[in-house]
Amino acid sequence: MEINGKTKLACLIGHPVAHSFSPYIHNFLAKEQRIDLRYTCFDVEPNKVKEALEGIRALGIVGSNVTIPHKIEVMPYLDEIDRNAQIIGAVNTIHNKEGKLIGYNTDGLGFVKSVLAEGHVLKNKHVMVLGAGGASRAIVVELAAHGVRKLTICNNTLEKAKVLEEKVTSHFQNVQVEIMPLQVNETALADVDVLINTTPLGMSSKKDLSPIDEKIVPPAHLVVCDIVYTPHDTKLLKWAMTHNLKVVHGIGMLINQAISSFEIWNELEIEAYESVYCLLKEKGII
């Protein structure tokens, strides 16, 4: 489709943004779904966040993704914030709906979708989450919203894990939460159904590191997930596959959080995971 007077615009705001894969995904989705929309990136300095959101509203930009370091800073300038995004305390998606800016967080939702799409069940399960940073916060809240029975949050700094524990227990009374250091052993894993790595351990610069002692023999029913998507098979996932466990790769969260944003802006539901996966593979991103 050629750009014309009716073409809608969506964008990413963050600092920096030049490395982002988002334009590949969203411009591809717009073309695939035959929606007259273009997506671009705006590098917004930290002291210009308010002006950026005023620009989104004034220019009628239909939606925006928000990345580091603005996910918290945008919140005071929004008209409305989705309940789970409020609990998470961060926004990564903004929908400009007829001049009203509504904030969402699709990070945790994207992760949950990637697990469910593989046929795994979360409701009434015991889930162990490694790490207590921003990604963990989004994932933990969505897991609680999807009815997990118990959350074990492991982090080297227990104070950060404690903050997540209080966040979950104050909003989701039916979820049991425990915290422990990031030194997991076989006993701690024995009754865990799903293990999730949200730490940077295993990503490209730390690809030789695993958040789990690889000498541990896991229970046969354990599902192992990593949100790191480069490399595709992290040390953690290789450990899991060595023990014939089911795994969920990090690329699923990346793709599904983007699709969820696209669906919010355009108020529709689409089936596009496989085509986006093939696009990213073709681009050499995965």
Side-chain angles (χ1 to χ4, degrees):
M1 292 184 187
E2 293 185 359
I3 295 175
N4 58 62
K6 295 181 181 179
T7 302
K8 296 186 290 185
L9 183 66
C11 67
L12 170 71
I13 61 171
H15 181 69
V17 294
H19 63 286
S20 176
F21 303 145
S22 294
Y24 294 122
I25 297 174
H26 289 293
N27 286 313
F28 171 81
L29 287 173
K31 184 177 180 180
E32 183 182 64
Q33 299 297 319
R34 302 189 63 79
I35 293 174
D36 192 5
L37 177 145
R38 297 295 187 278
Y39 185 101
T40 190
C41 297
F42 295 118
D43 193 323
V44 176
E45 297 281 349
N47 63 342
K48 296 291 185 181
V49 171
K50 180 180 180 182
E51 290 89 338
L53 266 68
E54 288 173 348
I56 288 171
R57 193 196 308 271
L59 295 173
I61 294 173
V62 69
S64 175
N65 287 129
V66 185
T67 190
I68 295 170
H70 303 328
K71 290 186 179 185
I72 297 172
E73 281 67 24
V74 298
M75 295 179 74
Y77 310 114
L78 300 176
D79 300 304
E80 186 179 315
I81 300 174
D82 171 75
R83 178 178 182 265
N84 283 2
Q86 283 184 328
I87 297 170
I88 293 165
V91 162
N92 81 327
T93 299
I94 299 170
H95 183 197
N96 181 3
K97 189 168 184 177
E98 299 175 353
K100 183 179 182 181
L101 301 185
I102 307 171
Y104 301 85
N105 193 307
T106 65
D107 285 332
L109 182 60
F111 172 79
V112 166
K113 280 186 174 182
S114 70
V115 175
L116 298 179
E118 294 287 340
H120 304 302
V121 176
L122 291 170
K123 191 173 179 60
N124 296 322
K125 297 297 184 179
H126 177 190
V127 181
M128 177 178 282
V129 180
L130 308 179
S136 176
R137 186 166 67 242
I139 288 169
V140 161
V141 169
E142 287 295 340
L143 288 171
H146 279 76
V148 300
R149 171 178 55 83
K150 181 179 179 180
L151 283 164
T152 299
I153 303 169
C154 308
N155 200 59
N156 285 328
T157 307
L158 288 181
E159 288 78 7
K160 289 184 71 175
K162 183 69 176 175
V163 171
L164 287 192
E165 177 188 27
E166 293 171 351
K167 188 179 287 288
V168 172
T169 55
S170 63
H171 291 92
F172 303 96
Q173 285 74 30
N174 293 330
V175 182
Q176 180 185 349
V177 185
E178 66 176 2
I179 62 174
M180 59 180 284
L182 192 57
Q183 286 93 37
V184 179
N185 56 36
E186 290 182 13
T187 302
L189 276 178
D191 70 337
V192 173
D193 299 300
V194 181
L195 175 69
I196 306 164
N197 176 43
T198 71
T199 77
L201 298 177
M203 66 192 306
S204 294
S205 59
K206 302 178 180 181
K207 63 182 180 181
D208 294 324
L209 300 176
S210 172
I212 286 284
D213 182 347
E214 293 172 273
K215 295 175 185 173
I216 289 176
V217 178
H221 67 272
L222 185 66
V223 176
V224 180
C225 315
D226 206 326
I227 71 167
V228 173
Y229 56 86
T230 306
H232 187 63
D233 291 330
T234 61
K235 287 277 280 186
L236 175 68
L237 296 185
K238 287 178 179 177
W239 164 79
M241 289 185 283
T242 298
H243 293 281
N244 297 313
L245 301 181
K246 299 286 181 62
V247 301
V248 178
H249 290 85
I251 193 65
M253 176 176 170
L254 174 72
I255 293 173
N256 281 314
Q257 63 83 22
I259 291 174
S260 293
S261 294
F262 190 87
E263 289 175 330
I264 288 169
W265 301 329
N266 294 287
E267 300 185 59
L268 47 70
E269 292 185 7
I270 59 176
E271 294 290 337
Y273 183 89
E274 292 301 328
S275 57
V276 173
Y277 182 90
C278 291
L279 169 76
L280 297 182
K281 198 164 186 180
E282 180 183 308
K283 295 283 185 184
I285 295 169
I286 56 173

